[in-house]
Amino acid sequence: MTDRPSSTPKSEIRLPKHRLAILLSGRGSNFEAIADAVAGGVVPNAEIVAVLSDVPEAVGLERARARGLPAASVDRKAYPGKREHEAEVLKRLAEARPDLVCLAGYMRLLTPEFVARWRGRILNIHPALLPKFPGLHVQRRALEAGETESGCTVHFVDEGTDTGPIVLQRRVPVLPGDTEESLSARILAEEHRAYPEAIAKVLGSLPRR
Ligand code: GRF
């Protein structure tokens, strides 16, 4: 008769889940894609520990609450200035202790202090093939520039506007007759695949804390 090993078999060792925080300002379709990917195991061994919005009416917040996730607004209009508002967001993040912060349509520029606090642990998604077309209205600008392809980029956030190290990009064609809406929709569908994939990739190489 063989003795049973006294230690837990390797297959039964459970690492703590990776903790994700989401910051959003609007409809939250990227948040939903991430939440689906977490629930479906596409982002393995992870949980969403906070969904924060600077806009109380953000549809993304409603979507998070409907999923039973901890969702809260930190209304930017309720603070005298950017620093005070950011200080509150930082406080909420400190309480939630995420391993990774994901900006998902968060329409605030972050101060260098914020970026320094979360360096290497904060991602953004942008609807263009960076370094081309950083900033706003990028699908319209891509069309006006006569681009034949566009896409999306998931990148680490640094002090610049959409300038941090790229995690991954996905390309889509720009088709004849495309409007800002049709191109945006084609890119968005790709964003919903790219963001979960990028998160899984980054979590796979993040040092455990
Ligand atoms: C997306 O196009 C994303 O790339 C950009 O803001 C938009 C957010 O959309 N940063 P949603 O709120 O995730 O639907």
Side-chain angles (χ1 to χ4, degrees):
M1 200 172 132
T2 0
D3 282 335
R4 283 179 166 250
S6 54
S7 58
T8 315
K10 220 175 175 184
S11 60
E12 285 178 22
I13 297 174
R14 292 262 181 275
L15 286 170
K17 288 188 174 183
H18 294 288
R19 301 168 65 84
L20 303 178
I22 314 283
L23 301 190
L24 56 80
S25 301
R27 72 190 156 186
S29 71
N30 275 288
F31 151 69
E32 291 243 88
I34 296 166
D36 284 344
V38 167
V42 174
V43 176
N45 199 33
E47 62 183 328
I48 295 174
V49 294
V51 180
L52 299 175
S53 177
D54 59 321
V55 179
E57 311 77 32
V59 174
L61 271 185
E62 277 169 40
R63 290 172 150 186
R65 290 192 184 109
R67 288 171 178 265
L69 292 171
S73 80
V74 183
D75 185 355
R76 64 184 171 210
K77 296 197 213 82
Y79 295 82
K82 183 177 182 63
R83 291 200 177 262
E84 292 84 353
H85 176 259
E86 225 183 41
E88 182 62 23
V89 176
L90 282 170
K91 183 172 155 253
R92 304 282 184 115
L93 286 178
E95 286 162 5
R97 294 180 295 107
D99 297 300
L100 190 63
V101 178
C102 304
L103 306 186
Y106 188 61
M107 301 304 286
R108 305 287 283 170
L109 292 176
L110 303 176
T111 65
E113 292 72 30
F114 194 116
V115 173
R117 169 64 189 83
W118 288 96
R119 191 179 305 284
R121 290 183 179 270
I122 179 163
L123 297 179
N124 182 42
I125 188 156
H126 183 75
L129 295 174
L130 293 171
K132 277 187 170 179
F133 306 110
L136 296 174
H137 310 299
V138 296
Q139 299 93 336
R140 185 164 81 214
R141 285 161 50 209
L143 286 172
E144 284 166 0
E147 296 290 316
T148 54
E149 71 171 359
S150 184
C152 62
T153 305
V154 182
H155 64 96
F156 286 101
V157 175
D158 70 3
E159 286 77 2
T161 302
D162 305 317
T163 50
I166 290 172
V167 179
L168 62 80
Q169 295 188 306
R170 288 286 174 268
R171 293 166 187 277
V172 302
V174 177
L175 300 177
D178 256 343
T179 60
E180 191 178 350
E181 289 69 34
S182 63
L183 179 58
S184 300
R186 192 174 310 120
I187 295 171
L188 191 65
E190 218 46 55
E191 291 183 41
H192 295 163
R193 286 186 278 272
Y195 213 169
E197 200 182 312
I199 291 168
K201 185 174 168 187
V202 169
L203 288 178
S205 55
L206 260 192
R208 288 272 178 182
R209 322 198 253 204

